[in-house]
């Protein structure tokens, strides 16, 4: 069976999922695919190009239809698609910082789409670029900074016990809301709801800023 570029990228993404981005090397990939490192150089001359190939795969879902109307629904759909893609690969925010993203065809395509939507909403090109950058960073933050106890490596009940203990050290008379919050963390926060709330917050900000320009 011929070794394809897609097969190399898929293996790289899988290694990253299982072992972290640091484990994604040409040598490790060659071992995974049962080939020599030289065989991979036909597709990727170095690790930087490999990372660009991975970014290209991650950004594919964010290359949505630019004709979507209204423009705010278009940028929402793109943001949700981006979150879904990056959520599947928790190291994605780290990966996006390792290479010149604009060398990725799909990243450039997604950027073109975002700028198209945002300028349609009344933002200047410079403002649209800033908004698109904030959206990308916001999505990465939602994924990398998952709320506790989902991101807690230990027992969720122990996390709650420790949080309550720390919060209740503050006198209720002076910190009534903190103490009330301590009692409000008994239920797990649904991760899907957390992501949906985050996207709503980002999009609400974009909509408000756009309305000021019209």
């Amino acid at each position: 069976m011929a070794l394809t570029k897609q097969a190399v990228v898929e293996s790289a993404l899988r290694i990253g999922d299982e072992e972290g981005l640091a484990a994604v090397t040409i040598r490790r990939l060659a071992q995974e695919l049962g080939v020599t490192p030289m065989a991979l150089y036909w597709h990727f001359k170095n690790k930087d190009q490999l990372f660009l190939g991975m970014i290209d795969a991650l950004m594919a879902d964010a290359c949505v239809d630019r004709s979507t109307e209204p423009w705010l629904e278009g940028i929402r759909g793109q943001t949700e698609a981006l979150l879904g893609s990056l959520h599947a690969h928790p190291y994605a925010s780290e990966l996006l910082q390792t290479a010149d993203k604009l060398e990725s065809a799909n990243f450039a395509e997604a950027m073109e789409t975002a700028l198209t939507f945002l300028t349609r909403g009344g933002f200047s090109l410079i403002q649209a670029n800033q908004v698109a950058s904030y959206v990308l960073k916001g999505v990465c933050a939602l994924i990398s900074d998952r709320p506790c106890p989902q991101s807690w490596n230990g027992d969720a009940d122990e996390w709650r016990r420790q949080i309550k203990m720390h919060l209740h050290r503050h006198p209720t008379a002076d910190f009534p809301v903190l103490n009330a919050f301590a009692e409000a963390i008994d239920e797990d926060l649904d991760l899907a709801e957390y992501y949906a709330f985050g996207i709503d917050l980002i999009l609400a900000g974009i909509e408000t800023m756009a309305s000021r320009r019209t």
Side-chain angles (χ1 to χ4, degrees):
M1 182 176 177
L3 181 65
T4 65
K5 194 170 188 176
Q6 181 179 352
V8 175
V9 169
E10 288 176 353
S11 292
L13 292 171
R14 184 173 61 253
I15 292 172
D17 293 339
E18 296 172 354
E19 304 175 34
L21 187 61
V24 181
T25 65
I26 297 294
R27 185 176 297 277
R28 175 72 178 81
L29 261 177
Q31 179 184 3
E32 178 81 8
L33 293 166
V35 298
T36 66
M38 287 301 298
L40 299 182
Y41 290 130
W42 284 101
H43 299 297
F44 301 102
K45 294 180 180 179
N46 51 49
K47 190 163 73 170
D48 287 342
Q49 287 195 0
L50 172 62
F51 281 179
L52 281 172
M54 294 169 69
I55 290 173
D56 213 44
L58 292 179
M59 297 302 297
D61 287 345
C63 298
V64 300
D65 183 0
R66 292 180 204 154
S67 65
T68 301
E69 290 287 0
W71 68 269
L72 191 62
E73 290 306 308
I75 199 70
R76 175 181 287 276
Q78 185 180 38
T79 302
E80 290 174 344
L82 178 64
L83 188 143
S85 180
L86 300 190
H87 170 66
H89 307 283
Y91 58 89
S93 58
E94 181 185 358
L95 175 62
L96 288 169
Q97 297 174 20
T98 62
D100 185 354
K101 299 182 287 293
L102 285 174
E103 290 188 22
S104 158
N106 281 341
F107 187 92
E109 176 72 16
M111 193 68 180
E112 174 75 14
T113 300
L115 294 180
T116 298
F117 286 138
L118 292 166
T119 52
R120 198 182 298 163
F123 293 97
S124 70
L125 282 170
I126 297 300
Q127 292 166 344
N129 178 65
Q130 291 174 327
V131 173
S133 177
Y134 292 145
V135 169
L136 178 59
K137 291 174 182 175
V139 168
C140 287
L142 282 171
I143 293 168
S144 61
D145 298 330
R146 291 189 303 163
C148 289
Q150 282 88 351
S151 59
W152 175 258
N153 291 326
D155 181 78
D157 290 334
E158 175 61 17
W159 173 82
R160 292 188 184 90
R161 187 191 70 79
Q162 290 188 26
I163 291 296
K164 289 184 177 185
M165 178 182 67
H166 287 297
L167 292 177
H168 283 318
R169 286 175 179 172
H170 301 284
T172 302
D174 297 325
F175 299 92
V177 180
L178 275 182
N179 279 272
F181 170 66
E183 298 307 315
I185 60 174
D186 285 333
E187 296 182 5
D188 284 345
L189 182 63
D190 182 85
L191 198 56
E193 291 181 3
Y194 171 78
Y195 286 152
F197 184 84
I199 289 180
D200 282 346
L201 195 62
I202 292 170
L203 269 293
I206 294 174
E207 184 176 21
T208 298
M209 295 296 290
S211 68
R212 294 179 183 176
R213 282 154 177 76
T214 57

